[in-house]
Every structure is written in C-alpha cells, then in structure tokens.
Amino acid sequence: MRVSGYVQRLLRAGVVNAGQEAVWLACHALGADTAGVIAGEFSAEECARVEGVISRRERGEPLQYILGEADFFGRDFRVGPGVLIPRHDTETLIEAVKLCFGREESFTFLDWGTGSGCIAATVLLEFPESSGYVVEASAEAKCYALSNFGRLGVSERVTWCEGFPECDLTISNPPYIPSGEIAGLMREVREFEPVCALDGGQDGMKFYREIFSRSRSDCIILEAGDVRAIKALSSDYVFVNEVEDSGGFPRALIFRRQIQQ
Ligand code: GLN
C-alpha cells in the first residue's frame, strides 16, 4: 500500500484536506518524515499501524485528537478527547490583549475556562511579565492544561483557582452555543468535542452573564458568539474595542469597567 490509497479512503469519508491529512497521519503513526511517507511502499506491519489512525479519521474523529496536538498562535498544544481543540479564531483574543497591554507590562489576568490552556499559556509567553489565574471545571481538560503549561515552561506563573479573583484582566472563550443548536453542529465537533465546552445554556449567554456579574477586573476580553447580545449584557462594563477574525467578523470584544460617578 502507498499513501495515495489512504488519501482515497479519506476523500471517500468526506475529509476535505485528505491529501495532507493522510501524510500527516501516516508520519504520526510511523514516526517517519513526509519524504519517507510519500516515497515509500508500506510494509504489512506499517500498514497495520497506519490503519489505526486512518480508520479513526474515517469515523470523523478530529485530526488534532488523533495527532494529539493542535497549533495555537504558532505553538503546539497537547489535546485529545475531553478538551476543546484550540481554534484559529480564538487567536484574536491574544491580539486584543496586545491592544490593551504593552509587551513589557506587568499585569495579572484570569483565564476563565482555560481548557487546553492555550489562551493562558500564550498570554504568559507573549507578555513575559504577566501572571495568570486559571479556572477550569473539567478534570479532563485540566490534565491537558497542566501538561501544556509544563511543556511551555509557564507553570510557575499560573495559579489554579475557582471563582473570580481580583486581577487586571479577565479573558475567556466561554461555551456559547445555545443548547438547542448543539445537535446541528458539524459531526466532528458534535460527536467528539466535549459538550460542556460548547453548551452556553438555552440562549448561549449563560457564561457571559456570569463573567460580567462576577468579574473583579477593570478589563474583560471575550470571544464572541452573538456580539449584539453580549454588548447588550454589559451593565458594569462598557464595550471599547473589538478584533475581527479572518472572516471579517468581530470575534474578540474588549470591555472596560465603567467609572462610577
Ligand atoms: N479556553 C479554551 C480555548 O479557548 C477552552 C474554551 C472552552 O472550552 N469553551 O480553547
């Protein structure tokens, strides 16, 4: 068998980027490099190893879970079943932090619902004088975050906590899909990613309400689902700026605490 046979199988399974994915999966299963995988005819023993990862992908499991890692802001994060896969759109939150703080500034932040830890670790690495509190309800997700903080060398600058400690910035990509819309999501997401990282309650706004009412920071940066609904919620906080995603939609929203008269 050559890698082209696996490309055909992934194409039949509806994988859009089948050519590259077949190569990445085979490299991962065999511990080989791209050139080796593309050039070679696989032995029976190699085929058995590649079969495992290809059949997982055929069944719709996300590529990142099979490879065990996902890119976020140019760095690799360990991921797997039980933790939300970092999204490219979420990188806009980091751009938003850059609009609010200078690289050498010393500040504290809370990453509420840290998941894989991609936001907290990236802020810590992009802002070397910052320190972070992190909150995560899922024990499975917490294991990935701990591993990512360790691998990226930021564990000592992270404080695990519950609730909303006083700090300079609250940042979050909370679950924001309305419960009734979960069933209509793409299969890869719906069947494989943790529903607790997606489900934002009946109107999708449950966690935004909690963040606005309980935050004890001057600045809040949120990934947005329904931008208008979120802006309408912000009673103690006023909307000040936004960062658009690659599709040109506002994705990261920046709020400041209103000065009480
Ligand atoms: N903060 C994590 C991320 O952005 C997890 C978010 C979530 O689970 N809703 O990927």
Side-chain angles (χ1 to χ4, degrees):
M1 177 78 106
R2 302 180 73 86
V3 76
S4 53
Y6 297 114
V7 176
Q8 292 309 317
R9 278 176 56 183
L10 293 185
L11 276 175
R12 278 197 296 275
V15 174
V16 177
N17 195 16
Q20 272 183 313
E21 290 199 14
V23 173
W24 291 331
L25 288 164
C27 287
H28 176 72
L30 301 174
D33 61 12
T34 311
V37 160
I38 291 174
E41 182 89 28
F42 300 149
S43 69
E45 187 266 336
E46 286 172 331
C47 283
R49 274 152 68 194
V50 177
E51 180 60 32
V53 294
I54 292 288
S55 59
R56 282 171 71 183
R57 190 71 187 106
E58 276 182 318
R59 287 194 294 270
E61 186 168 346
L63 177 74
Q64 293 89 338
Y65 281 175
I66 306 172
L67 299 179
E69 60 185 30
D71 172 85
F72 185 78
F73 218 82
R75 299 182 181 94
D76 282 335
F77 286 80
R78 294 276 178 268
V79 294
V83 70
L84 193 80
I85 297 167
R87 306 296 207 261
H88 184 55
D89 286 341
T90 303
E91 295 174 343
T92 55
L93 296 181
I94 309 300
E95 302 298 346
V97 183
K98 293 188 176 191
L99 294 179
C100 300
F101 296 92
R103 183 181 149 79
E104 303 305 329
E105 219 171 310
S106 161
F107 64 94
T108 55
F109 68 89
L110 163 66
D111 176 17
W112 195 82
T114 198
S116 63
C118 61
I119 297 171
T122 306
V123 173
L124 290 166
L125 290 167
E126 296 294 313
F127 299 86
E129 302 300 321
S130 66
S131 49
Y133 295 97
V134 294
V135 168
E136 177 51 57
S138 152
E140 277 172 295
K142 193 172 170 176
C143 290
Y144 289 102
L146 282 166
S147 145
N148 286 319
F149 295 151
R151 290 181 53 255
L152 293 165
V154 297
S155 304
E156 255 124 69
R157 296 162 61 203
V158 170
T159 306
W160 286 88
C161 64
E162 285 172 20
F164 290 80
E166 212 171 326
C167 56
D168 299 309
L169 163 70
T170 302
I171 184 165
S172 185
N173 173 24
Y176 58 72
I177 313 287
S179 307
E181 292 178 19
I182 301 281
L185 295 175
M186 282 164 59
R187 178 175 162 223
E188 274 191 43
V189 178
R190 183 185 74 217
E191 287 184 11
F192 291 91
E193 294 200 79
V195 72
C196 64
L198 301 165
D199 190 339
Q202 200 181 1
D203 62 357
M205 300 298 290
K206 181 173 155 188
F207 297 108
Y208 294 111
R209 281 191 200 94
E210 184 166 348
I211 291 166
F212 279 124
S213 64
R214 296 183 60 199
S215 281
R216 294 197 283 147
S217 59
D218 282 332
C219 182
I220 298 181
I221 295 176
L222 298 171
E223 178 163 329
D226 184 338
V227 173
R228 278 183 30 198
I230 297 165
K231 288 181 181 174
L233 267 188
S234 53
S235 53
D236 283 353
Y237 289 87
V238 284
F239 168 76
V240 291
N241 208 347
E242 66 194 20
V243 178
E244 291 178 353
D245 60 25
S246 50
F249 298 103
R251 180 64 66 170
L253 306 184
I254 306 173
F255 296 85
R256 294 261 178 209
R257 197 197 294 276
Q258 251 169 330
I259 314 282
Q260 301 296 328
Q261 298 297 328

